Amino acid sequence: MDAYRITKDSPDWQHKAYEYARTDAFVFGQGIPLEIEYGHDEPIGDDYKAVILMDEGKPVAGCRITYPADDIGKIGRVCVARQYQKKGIGSILIEEAEKWIQERKVTRIVINSQDRAQGFYEKIGYELVPGVDPHPFEGRLTTAYEDIPRDYVPKKNPLGFACVLLEKKTCALR
């Protein structure tokens, strides 16, 4: 298994490999319409970061990394191609993303996740942050983490899942 760190300047094939894994997992695997899955993506800019795992030249998993605040790293759009799910690939992917984020010396890592994946993240050391709306973490936070309201109640969307926020304090990383 090979891990690649992708930036805006990475070879085009690496960007396409991530898009392949993402399309396989979300569009074909979960039935999320293509226009919804990719409709809110920002253009690839200077701060673009993603991790892709390849197995014998085939893209098997990927995720994006952003920094919604100077002290917070965010792992998002975590995907594992359907034929590689339930084989420990997701754990390897998150570990690779955490290594890259740790180089920036953040104090916490957050993941905006589907509620149905919450158990997976808890197994690898993340904790649910109850009452915090994960959507503001999609961009740059405009308020301090500690000042974010804690009254969010997750509601299932038409696709059958709700979004939740999970967190790992970086002192808990290996």
Side-chain angles (χ1 to χ4, degrees):
M1 190 79 47
D2 297 311
Y4 294 89
R5 293 179 174 188
I6 304 171
T7 66
K8 76 171 185 78
D9 297 323
S10 294
D12 196 43
W13 70 265
Q14 291 179 355
H15 293 273
K16 290 182 184 330
Y18 173 55
E19 289 174 13
Y20 173 86
R22 190 172 155 187
T23 300
D24 185 76
F26 293 125
V27 177
F28 292 109
Q30 295 183 19
I32 296 174
L34 192 64
E35 64 274 12
I36 291 175
E37 177 56 30
Y38 289 96
H40 61 278
D41 280 3
E42 295 179 14
I44 293 177
D46 289 340
D47 58 348
Y48 181 87
K49 291 182 177 21
V51 175
I52 186 77
L53 295 182
M54 305 284 288
D55 184 34
E56 297 181 7
K58 296 177 185 168
V60 300
C63 65
R64 292 271 311 260
I65 297 172
T66 58
Y67 296 93
D70 292 337
D71 62 337
I72 300 173
K74 178 182 171 279
I75 300 172
R77 308 311 309 151
V78 177
C79 56
V80 178
R82 290 172 293 167
Q83 77 179 81
Y84 292 88
Q85 293 176 359
K86 309 279 188 216
K87 297 181 179 181
I89 302 297
S91 298
I92 296 167
L93 176 67
I94 298 300
E95 189 174 300
E96 289 295 327
E98 288 174 347
K99 285 179 194 174
W100 199 2
I101 290 170
Q102 272 297 96
E103 291 173 12
R104 192 160 162 163
K105 308 229 185 288
V106 300
T107 58
R108 59 177 45 99
I109 298 174
V110 296
I111 296 177
N112 178 349
S113 171
Q114 297 176 7
D115 59 348
R116 55 191 175 200
Q118 178 181 334
F120 162 73
Y121 293 113
E122 289 174 335
K123 282 185 203 171
I124 59 172
Y126 286 79
E127 295 179 8
L128 178 67
V129 184
V132 174
D133 182 355
H135 297 97
F137 290 85
E138 295 300 318
R140 188 83 176 152
L141 288 176
T142 57
T143 200
Y145 181 82
E146 292 73 22
D147 295 334
I148 295 173
R150 307 277 169 162
D151 57 358
Y152 171 76
V153 178
K155 293 183 179 88
K156 300 249 185 239
N157 62 31
L159 299 169
F161 61 87
C163 291
V164 295
L165 187 74
L166 294 111
E167 171 187 54
K168 183 185 272 188
K169 300 221 173 26
T170 57
C171 61
L173 296 176
R174 299 180 209 60

